[in-house]
Amino acid sequence: MSKSRKIILALAVIGFLACVLSLVFYFWNTGRAQRAFDLLDSKRPVLNSAGFTAPERLEEIAEEEERPFNPDCIAWVTIPDTAVNYPVMQREGSNQYYLRRDFYGEYSQSGTPFLDAASDLADPDSPLYIFGHNMKSGTMFADLLRYRSADFCSEHPVIELETAEELRRYEIFAVIETETGTDELGIYDFAEDPARDLAAFCASLQEKALYDTGIQPEGQLLLLITCTNSYDEAGRFFVAAHRVE
């Protein structure tokens, strides 16, 4: 084998090992983040609310973890029998803060699901937009892409949102996939419009939906949003639901 071929082979091996190590680190890092969320799940630390009435619980958890709890945690989102089971954060004036930060505000590749800064959890008329990453390890909002199947949707039709005051349930009425990260659906225009028409906007979502659920939405709008990476540009995946009693 010539010297040049040996060099090329060595570089190829180095590149391959670098890719393997990168994947190992990625899955280790996302697994570590998931374990931290699993620990939080047993506490359900939804703190940022006047309805939270157990300060002794905070003290107990803080002693166990030796870490402060985060008042940015305003809810907990769950889709039963899926991997979606996470705290929901909201940072005043910022939709970037929790993109790559964990529950405690420290760097995390997985980030933490967050409610759009313009959404008002206390306002029953405010549309709620919750963002989360689609991780290759299957964590965070990766399970949302399973809603490409109408059968999966019919088997998992409800999103639960726990606040300090109550457990809310939202019924899924539309699943939409777009090719880019731009606001093709006009969701931000809808949220910022003081004269917004919920019925008309939901009808526009249903027109773009992957399939017909047969559900006519009436209550408060909830959108779970993640990326797809299915196209040349990172697409977006939306699971739209309305609040039910």
Side-chain angles (χ1 to χ4, degrees), residues 113-154:
F114 60 90
L115 182 67
D116 187 271
S119 294
D120 185 352
L121 193 65
D123 181 355
D125 295 322
S126 175
L128 306 179
Y129 305 147
I130 300 177
F131 300 84
H133 287 299
N134 167 21
M135 305 304 288
K136 294 182 179 66
S137 58
T139 59
M140 307 309 292
F141 279 8
D143 255 9
L144 291 187
L145 272 66
R146 299 173 71 183
Y147 280 98
R148 285 172 173 154
S149 164
D151 289 340
F152 184 84
C153 185
S154 65

Side-chain angles (χ1 to χ4, degrees), residues 2-244:
S2 66
K3 184 177 181 180
S4 61
R5 287 187 177 179
K6 288 181 179 179
I7 293 174
I8 293 172
L9 179 60
L11 290 174
V13 170
I14 292 171
F16 173 76
L17 291 175
C19 290
V20 170
L21 288 174
S22 177
L23 284 173
V24 169
F25 178 76
Y26 176 89
F27 281 95
W28 176 84
N29 195 26
T30 55
R32 178 186 179 192
Q34 184 59 44
R35 288 190 293 275
F37 285 126
D38 290 343
L39 179 61
L40 283 170
D41 182 29
S42 65
K43 320 293 185 182
R44 290 296 175 94
V46 179
L47 314 183
N48 192 14
S49 170
F52 188 83
T53 58
E56 70 280 355
R57 187 169 147 207
L58 282 183
E59 295 176 4
E60 178 184 344
I61 297 170
E63 288 178 2
E64 290 177 5
E65 301 300 318
E66 297 182 350
R67 306 180 80 172
F69 270 77
N70 191 338
D72 286 349
C73 181
I74 50 88
W76 195 282
V77 63
T78 304
I79 301 179
D81 300 319
T82 76
V84 177
N85 185 37
Y86 294 102
V88 178
M89 318 301 282
Q90 188 177 46
R91 189 77 168 184
E92 185 176 356
S94 175
N95 278 343
Q96 304 296 318
Y97 189 82
Y98 285 103
L99 277 175
R100 297 298 178 190
R101 285 185 171 91
D102 65 10
F103 179 88
Y104 299 101
E106 298 175 358
Y107 176 79
S108 170
Q109 192 171 16
S110 297
T112 307
F114 60 90
L115 182 67
D116 187 271
S119 294
D120 185 352
L121 193 65
D123 181 355
D125 295 322
S126 175
L128 306 179
Y129 305 147
I130 300 177
F131 300 84
H133 287 299
N134 167 21
M135 305 304 288
K136 294 182 179 66
S137 58
T139 59
M140 307 309 292
F141 279 8
D143 255 9
L144 291 187
L145 272 66
R146 299 173 71 183
Y147 280 98
R148 285 172 173 154
S149 164
D151 289 340
F152 184 84
C153 185
S154 65
E155 294 167 1
H156 303 82
V158 174
I159 301 169
E160 296 179 349
L161 192 66
E162 180 183 349
T163 71
E165 291 86 8
E166 60 188 343
L167 177 63
R168 306 180 186 182
R169 290 182 171 84
Y170 295 80
E171 183 182 33
I172 296 168
F173 67 87
V175 176
I176 307 102
E177 187 169 359
T178 64
E179 296 187 6
T180 69
T182 59
D183 189 18
E184 297 177 26
L185 304 179
I187 63 171
Y188 294 110
D189 291 338
F190 173 73
E192 295 168 1
D193 183 2
R196 55 182 177 258
D197 185 333
L198 178 63
F201 180 67
C202 288
S204 72
L205 295 181
Q206 289 174 304
E207 288 176 3
K208 300 177 177 70
L210 299 180
Y211 45 82
D212 181 10
T213 62
I215 296 168
Q216 296 304 315
E218 297 178 346
Q220 181 186 45
L221 176 66
L222 171 66
L223 280 175
L224 301 189
I225 306 168
T226 192
C227 59
T228 64
N229 299 315
S230 298
Y231 300 91
D232 292 338
E233 297 183 52
R236 293 293 180 270
F237 200 83
F238 303 83
V239 176
H242 71 120
R243 188 174 179 182
V244 293

